[in-house]
Amino acid sequence: MNRRGFTVGAAAALCLGALKQARAAGSYPDRPLTFVVPYPPGGAADQFARPYAQALGDRLRQTVIIENRPGANGNIGSAYVAERLPADGYALLLGSLSTLAINPHIYPSMGYSVLDDLQPVSLTHSMPNVLVVGADTPYRTLGQLIDAARRKPGSLEFGSAGIGNTMHMAGELFQLRAAVKLLHVPYKGGPEALNDLLGGRIPMMFNNLPAIVPLVRSGKLRALAIADDKRSPLLPGVPTMAEAGVADATSVVWNGILVRHGTPPGVVTQLNAAMGAVLGDPKFRDLLTAQGYDILSSTPARFAALLRKDYAAMGDLVKRANIRME
């Protein structure tokens, strides 16, 4: 083939590719979507994902099927979307600060690249972590817990959803700011750690606000401090970390939806618009806000910028806390 024939052929191929993308975006979605939640059922992320999937499906006029793929602090489900499912907009991933910004600095091999293999679509919500203790423990204030930790360094246990999870990182940040040494007990997920806390097998943990509000209100757990810069209207009697005497110990977890890199831009734009409509719906917002979720919404660019910023910040915290896989 001569150069002119090659050029014409290449141009035709480019046009055909653009036409296919346009057709894909124009008919999208014409079949059910899979919404991968890389955490166990029953946790705060899963509790958000289920009503969100229903509302998004109603908006797109397609079924959105939840698929829980927990393991390795979200890596298994995230790698499944980033490497194994097509880049066509039919596979959505619920990502978090923990999986996307912390894991890359802890796991020697992720199986995918967060920044290269995933395309942010929209932030969805955030939630602060709360330091909670068992109702049978003697700790009624943060000061009492700190005093106990200082008397026996490294003996007071705190549970988490796993190494590198934001519950773990909240505990590490707390230790740095409060000048105490605790003993980390990692679990396979937040619900498992919470069950052991309720059963008296561990004395304390940091957990997402939506997961602990009903348990604190019923007296099954005691909340000592919220790792946010403001109190929660759901637990107005619980002080912030700063109010309780530990400054700069904020731990607020963001979540958002991503697709595989290479998804047609038109599909990403359509998804972002549908997600924004759901997240802006007062009925949806009120339902989830009442459970402790702070509803967010964003452009893909804003989400990507936040991811890059926290990717760097969490890498610094991991290094300072000397966190590594055991």
Side-chain angles (χ1 to χ4, degrees), residues 84-293:
R84 295 183 58 186
L85 298 183
D88 56 7
Y90 286 90
L92 312 178
L93 171 68
L94 180 62
S96 74
L97 172 69
S98 176
T99 300
L100 303 176
I102 299 174
N103 278 5
H105 306 290
I106 296 176
Y107 286 80
S109 177
M110 294 269 289
Y112 71 102
S113 167
V114 168
L115 300 180
D116 295 334
D117 296 335
L118 291 171
Q119 164 65 55
V121 179
S122 177
L123 290 165
T124 55
H125 64 287
S126 67
M127 46 193 174
N129 277 311
V130 183
L131 175 54
V132 286
V133 298
D136 294 333
T137 65
Y139 316 118
R140 296 190 173 275
T141 67
L142 189 63
Q144 290 175 350
L145 185 144
I146 290 173
D147 288 343
R150 287 176 178 169
R151 284 195 299 270
K152 294 183 178 180
S155 63
L156 188 60
E157 299 173 322
F158 77 99
S160 83
I163 296 174
N165 185 273
T166 53
M167 300 175 196
H168 174 204
M169 298 302 288
E172 295 293 343
L173 182 60
F174 171 72
Q175 291 179 80
L176 288 172
R177 300 296 186 237
V180 297
K181 179 62 178 175
L182 305 174
L183 178 61
H184 178 223
V185 182
Y187 288 78
K188 292 182 178 180
E192 291 89 344
L194 187 58
N195 284 338
D196 268 11
L197 178 61
L198 290 167
R201 287 175 284 277
I202 54 173
M204 62 177 285
M205 73 178 297
F206 285 84
N207 206 336
N208 305 144
L209 177 66
I212 58 90
V213 166
L215 298 171
V216 172
R217 287 176 171 174
S218 66
K220 294 180 180 179
L221 292 179
R222 191 179 301 127
L224 300 188
I226 183 168
D228 201 351
D229 57 5
K230 61 183 182 301
R231 295 194 182 200
S232 168
L234 301 182
L235 298 174
V238 179
T240 66
M241 278 284 174
E243 289 174 333
V246 180
D248 299 322
T250 299
S251 175
V252 178
V253 186
W254 52 254
N255 288 257
I257 308 299
L258 305 94
V259 292
R260 185 171 179 175
H261 182 76
T263 298
V267 170
V268 173
T269 299
Q270 189 173 340
L271 272 173
N272 179 263
M275 292 174 185
V278 170
L279 296 165
D281 184 341
K283 291 183 179 179
F284 179 83
R285 294 179 69 90
D286 291 348
L287 173 67
L288 276 300
T289 299
Q291 298 177 41
Y293 300 94

